[in-house]
Amino acid sequence: MAKQNLDWSNLGFTYMKTDKRYVANYTGETGQWDEGALVDDANIVMSEDAGVLQYAQTVFEGLKAYETKDGRVVCFRPNLNARRLHDSAVRLEMPPLSEDQFLDSIRQVVAANESWVPPYGSGATLYVRPYMFGISPVIGVKPADDYQYRVFTTPVGPYFKGGAKPIYVRITDYDRAAPHGTGNIKAGLNYAMSLKAIMEAHREGFAENIYLDPATRTYLEETGGANILLIDQDDHLIVPKSDSILPSVTRRSLVYVAEHYLGMKVDERPVTIQEVREGSFKECGLCGTAAVISPIGKIHDHGKDICFASGMEEMGPWMTKLRQTLLGIQEGIIEAPEGWIFEVC
């Protein structure tokens, strides 16, 4: 299929309307999801009293479609996105979608927008956004009766300007999630809470915020939109652990890559900010679907900068190996573990 006429190598991380999107509906009356279909219309019509508008009853996912070196169009581990969407829906009292229907919706919408999948080697990808929301009127505080599930796509470039260049972030005094709250699911309300903090950070010259645990403010959690990875002085991959951290598909994949492809020792444990201040780590980065890995060069900590040995010029050696290996798996250059690559067309 002929590609769209775009400057693929210079795309930003912004929305661009593509040809088709997938829509399925759930009604309380039937107690089930319909079979769903592809539609042309990108607009949504709903009541002014819809549950999503009144009580933020919405969850979402994010994944990407790639063109591999041999010309296939694939997605990366969408079964994990399906399971996370299920867990998010259950937490917000929404009817979960079956894994089979989720995977079918991804296959349909990516195939229908194949011409928008960036060419191999361009550095761009087709971002895929599945989401679900309460659509029926709700005036009392309770779950909606009816729901809509949709999937759209948009071609995107790197999440951070400069791609894999190190970024400058800050420790924020805002909290991302409450203990026993919704930090471990992908709910829209978590991201709404981060908007003020991220805009303040941008105005002050920082790319992102690092959140500490809200109970003691001593442990690293994550940023507004990505998990954190660290490399200690013994070349071990250290992954902050907390019940409030979102279980990132990218992070879980990088842990496997570190252990089974690079022979690294991995330690998933609570990590204190004091360890970071004391120089226990020589590399640091953010990981997620949008960014893959973005290296952190330094952290602003209440008037002082914590600098990593990898510096602000380029990604450190271990983060580079992790990123290149995962991208190689996703793009079909390196053999993937069984079940990781979901072929669309």
Side-chain angles (χ1 to χ4, degrees):
M1 179 179 288
K3 299 289 186 185
Q4 296 290 326
N5 185 23
L6 299 176
D7 185 2
W8 299 107
S9 297
N10 289 298
L11 292 178
F13 200 88
T14 56
Y15 172 77
M16 184 184 300
K17 181 183 174 183
T18 56
D19 298 327
K20 299 285 186 179
R21 62 273 316 134
Y22 178 96
V23 180
N25 290 285
Y26 175 98
T27 64
E29 184 177 351
T30 64
Q32 61 185 12
W33 288 97
D34 66 23
E35 62 183 12
L38 293 173
V39 302
D40 297 324
D41 192 357
N43 297 306
I44 301 170
V45 177
M46 59 184 160
S47 168
E48 62 187 350
D49 189 35
V52 63
L53 301 178
Q54 302 307 315
Y55 302 119
Q57 200 181 15
T58 179
V59 296
F60 70 98
E61 276 299 320
L63 60 155
K64 291 179 177 179
Y66 308 80
E67 184 174 88
T68 62
K69 189 175 183 178
D70 59 5
R72 294 173 297 141
V73 175
V74 303
C75 292
F76 183 69
R77 307 189 76 181
N79 58 309
L80 297 188
N81 297 96
R83 294 169 197 170
R84 191 169 63 183
L85 186 72
H86 175 281
D87 294 344
S88 297
V90 168
R91 177 64 176 83
L92 292 193
E93 285 293 330
M94 305 170 74
L97 197 74
S98 72
E99 184 172 322
D100 286 345
Q101 186 166 5
F102 180 92
L103 294 176
D104 182 59
S105 71
I106 301 303
R107 188 188 301 276
Q108 285 194 49
V109 80
V110 172
N113 293 294
E114 184 183 355
S115 68
W116 294 91
V117 178
Y120 172 77
S122 64
T125 54
L126 186 70
Y127 190 78
V128 184
R129 170 56 60 86
Y131 60 111
M132 182 191 301
F133 55 94
I135 198 169
S136 57
V138 179
I139 197 65
V141 181
K142 70 180 187 68
D145 294 320
D146 304 335
Y147 296 85
Q148 190 165 103
Y149 166 76
R150 300 177 71 99
V151 186
F152 68 81
T153 62
T154 185
V156 297
Y159 187 73
F160 292 105
K161 293 179 181 179
K165 290 285 290 183
I167 58 175
Y168 186 24
V169 303
R170 70 169 188 176
I171 302 293
T172 181
D173 289 327
Y174 289 102
D175 291 330
R176 175 185 161 270
H180 311 295
T182 57
N184 62 342
I185 65 166
K186 207 163 177 67
L189 57 91
N190 294 343
Y191 296 81
M193 291 173 66
S194 74
L195 294 178
K196 183 174 180 60
I198 192 63
M199 294 310 295
E200 284 187 2
H202 288 170
R203 285 190 288 268
E204 294 174 15
F206 304 105
E208 252 292 7
N209 293 292
I210 288 180
Y211 291 88
L212 303 179
D213 75 290
T216 69
R217 304 203 57 77
T218 55
Y219 295 98
L220 296 187
E221 293 237 312
E222 59 175 287
T223 70
N227 285 182
I228 298 170
L229 302 174
L230 303 121
I231 305 294
D232 71 10
Q233 300 298 337
D234 296 317
D235 296 331
H236 299 160
L237 177 63
I238 310 299
V239 182
K241 185 176 182 180
S242 162
D243 291 338
S244 295
I245 292 176
L246 184 74
S248 163
V249 174
T250 304
R251 185 201 76 213
R252 284 179 280 173
S253 302
L254 286 167
V255 165
Y256 185 93
V257 164
E259 292 180 321
H260 297 275
Y261 284 72
L262 301 180
M264 300 176 71
K265 181 179 178 181
V266 178
D267 191 3
E268 298 187 63
R269 61 171 177 82
V271 176
T272 67
I273 184 59
Q274 189 60 31
E275 292 178 78
V276 181
R277 290 167 179 156
E278 291 171 353
S280 299
F281 308 104
K282 57 186 178 182
E283 294 182 45
C284 182
L286 310 182
C287 70
T289 297
V292 185
I293 293 181
S294 289
I296 293 174
K298 57 183 177 179
I299 300 172
H300 188 73
D301 180 18
H302 300 89
K304 297 180 180 179
D305 282 341
I306 303 170
C307 299
F308 293 97
S310 51
M312 288 295 294
E313 294 302 314
E314 58 185 24
M315 184 180 290
W318 284 107
M319 292 291 172
T320 298
K321 291 177 185 177
L322 285 164
R323 186 175 187 273
Q324 289 179 344
T325 305
L326 186 62
L327 285 174
I329 290 170
Q330 292 173 337
E331 295 172 355
I333 300 170
I334 298 172
E335 185 175 355
E338 184 177 355
W340 277 30
I341 302 301
F342 179 78
E343 190 164 335
V344 175
C345 51

